[in-house]
Amino acid sequence: MTEWPEARPNDNRGSRYGRGSASAQPESARVMRQVRRGPGVPPGQGAYGGSVPQQPSYVDGSGHGGGYSDYNTGQVYGSPGGGGPGGPGDDGRYAQRPAPDWRRRIKLTSITVAVVLVVTTVGTYFWADSKLNREVDLSIVLDRPEAGEGTNYLIVGSDSRAGLTDEQKKKLRTGSAEGKRTDSMMILHTGSNGPTLISLPRDSNVEIPTFKGSESGKTFQGTGRQVKLNAAYAEDGPELLVRTVEFNTGLHIDHYVEIGFAGFANIVDAVGGVEMDIPQDIKDTKSGADFEKGKQTLNGEEALAFVRTRYALAGSDLDRTKNQQKFLSALASQVATPGTVLNPFKLYPTMGAGLDSLIVDEDMGLFDLAGMFWAMKGVSGGDGTSLNMPLAGSSGGNLLWDKAKVKQLVNQLNNDEKVTVKGD
């Protein structure tokens, strides 16, 4: 048998392509270079008679210090003894990198996150605090009752159209009356026995006492004049309303919070609507309410129609105040959910819509406001009590309070006791 790569027997090419041939003819496709492993072939005895340069041996991985061999001796680049980084042939250009200090990295990351959170929280606080409209001066209210235990908020929904375009007024069915009046009034008491939310019907019969004008500074002597409660607000604004409520109840009001039509609708839309379980079909052309009985999510326009409806309700204004209590509690619960508080895309629009439209007293702080919302959430969650002011009948269209029950209710609130009085 002829040793490969000599021409095979009967190869008709003859010896033209034999070992050491200097012919310019190309090699046959059947003749391949031998890749040999092991000791190198002495010079001049290779398959090509020395015409191909010898390849360096990879004894030390870099072609130095060894003999010659055909290409590879089996060493793997980067392995012990090779010329990879860290090997004997390493000249310092490939210095090994130290292992990462994960403990240090985690510590630095934690510090960075903490700093960002603190800066964001502080910035948010001052941004939100600057948006509160502290316009009500309770220091001018005369002859105030002694403050009791707990905190009392007077929450007012006004029919102010401020900020509404003509198109919005038409859409929300607010009308275009000038000025503003109270559309709803509530006292929220917070304390150690759970929150209590008391609606004050706007047609309640009250006496206008001696008061100091909020703008003129002039003192107006009381004459025993009997009016509906919402007339006090219409006559001289929030300060006279607080004075009238305190005079007729004996309850000290610590904070005042007011919101108009536009702000109310904007807050509801900012939180993505509020789910309500409507107890009956309601259709009222004046407020625009058109609801079927059952659970549904109300947007800002629908929510405003719902809390303003009274003509379609059997109990008129008394039933309306109950709906207002339910809705405000549900709204507070929606605002206080993790889905709103932990979502900046909901939290900031909600805060912006709410704070821009709120009017509060000069001493109201963000923590006071947060406490109010949290207490209202507690009312809907079953931790508190809600009722209308106890009534004893009516006279000339004005609703008369039950004086004995009102006195008992105020005593329980002042002493921060569990409320046992039942309202209408």
Side-chain angles (χ1 to χ4, degrees):
M1 180 176 181
T2 305
E3 180 181 358
W4 191 86
E6 293 290 340
R8 295 185 180 182
N10 302 324
D11 191 335
N12 60 8
R13 290 172 298 181
S15 61
R16 288 183 301 164
Y17 304 105
R19 183 176 305 199
S21 172
S23 171
Q25 294 288 342
E27 293 179 348
S28 167
R30 296 178 179 274
V31 180
M32 301 175 63
R33 290 192 181 95
Q34 173 94 23
V35 179
R36 302 185 58 182
R37 302 183 184 278
V41 179
Q45 297 183 16
Y48 295 90
S51 62
V52 178
Q54 297 297 319
Q55 302 300 314
S57 172
Y58 288 87
V59 174
D60 64 354
S62 60
H64 300 294
Y68 288 84
S69 67
D70 289 340
Y71 301 108
N72 194 0
T73 60
Q75 295 290 351
V76 180
Y77 181 79
S79 64
D90 188 1
D91 59 2
R93 289 175 296 171
Y94 304 101
Q96 187 173 2
R97 298 174 66 181
D101 186 347
W102 289 108
R103 182 177 298 178
R104 182 170 179 271
R105 289 187 179 185
I106 292 173
K107 182 179 180 180
L108 289 175
T109 300
S110 300
I111 292 174
T112 301
V113 171
V115 170
V116 170
L117 287 176
V118 170
V119 171
T120 301
T121 302
V122 173
T124 299
Y125 175 86
F126 283 105
W127 167 78
D129 188 72
S130 67
K131 296 180 81 65
L132 278 177
N133 300 309
R134 297 182 173 93
E135 300 177 5
V136 180
D137 183 8
L138 296 183
S139 67
I140 68 171
V141 178
L142 303 176
D143 303 327
R144 309 196 67 187
E146 290 290 332
E149 299 294 328
T151 304
N152 298 313
Y153 299 84
L154 180 59
I155 304 171
V156 174
S158 76
D159 64 358
S160 171
R161 282 87 173 164
L164 291 176
T165 64
D166 291 339
E167 182 179 351
Q168 289 174 318
K169 291 176 183 178
K170 182 178 180 180
K171 181 180 180 181
L172 297 176
R173 296 175 183 261
T174 64
S176 300
E178 295 297 328
K180 58 181 182 179
R181 285 150 293 278
T182 52
D183 208 55
S184 62
M185 291 162 283
M186 302 178 189
I187 294 174
L188 174 66
H189 173 84
T190 63
S192 58
N193 278 292
T196 301
L197 187 61
I198 308 161
S199 287
L200 309 176
R202 66 180 194 174
D203 292 339
S204 297
N205 189 83
V206 294
E207 179 183 339
I208 298 293
T210 299
F211 69 96
K212 186 175 183 180
S214 58
E215 295 185 2
S216 66
K218 180 180 177 181
T219 300
F220 297 88
Q221 295 296 325
T223 61
R225 179 163 49 106
Q226 305 288 310
V227 298
K228 293 180 178 180
L229 182 57
N230 64 344
Y233 181 95
E235 187 171 331
D236 198 51
E239 289 85 359
L240 178 55
L241 179 61
V242 170
R243 168 70 172 130
T244 303
V245 169
E246 289 187 341
F247 177 82
N248 286 270
T249 63
L251 192 66
H252 181 90
I253 300 300
D254 298 289
H255 292 294
Y256 177 91
V257 181
E258 177 187 326
I259 186 168
F261 285 160
F264 180 83
N266 289 340
I267 292 175
V268 174
D269 285 334
V271 298
V274 176
E275 185 179 76
M276 287 294 297
D277 188 359
I278 298 179
Q280 66 183 74
D281 292 347
I282 300 175
K283 189 173 183 64
D284 183 358
T285 56
K286 291 192 175 182
S287 68
D290 188 3
F291 306 111
E292 293 183 357
K293 178 181 179 180
K295 287 187 177 181
Q296 50 203 286
T297 299
L298 307 184
N299 61 26
E301 178 185 349
E302 294 166 337
L304 187 58
F306 176 71
V307 299
R308 294 181 62 219
T309 295
R310 62 171 175 164
Y311 295 104
L313 304 176
S316 189
D317 199 43
L318 294 180
D319 282 349
R320 179 174 73 159
T321 57
K322 294 175 183 178
N323 285 342
Q324 290 171 346
Q325 291 176 347
K326 292 176 183 177
F327 187 86
L328 289 179
S329 296
L331 174 60
S333 296
Q334 181 71 21
V335 170
T337 59
T340 299
V341 175
L342 300 180
N343 184 350
F345 297 102
K346 271 193 174 183
L347 177 62
Y348 286 97
T350 301
M351 292 178 66
L355 297 175
D356 274 342
S357 56
L358 290 179
I359 295 175
V360 300
D361 64 272
E362 294 179 345
D363 295 327
M364 172 72 85
L366 286 178
F367 290 109
D368 299 313
L369 195 60
M372 184 194 79
F373 270 96
W374 193 260
M376 292 185 69
K377 178 184 178 181
V379 173
S380 64
D383 296 330
T385 303
S386 60
L387 67 153
N388 279 327
M389 187 64 82
L391 299 176
S394 63
S395 175
N398 292 6
L399 298 175
L400 303 176
W401 292 354
D402 186 321
K403 293 184 179 180
K405 287 185 177 181
V406 170
K407 183 177 181 180
Q408 182 184 0
L409 173 62
V410 170
N411 285 336
Q412 290 176 342
L413 295 177
N414 277 331
N415 295 321
D416 199 21
E417 299 172 351
K418 184 70 175 178
V419 172
T420 60
V421 176
K422 302 297 181 181
D424 291 86

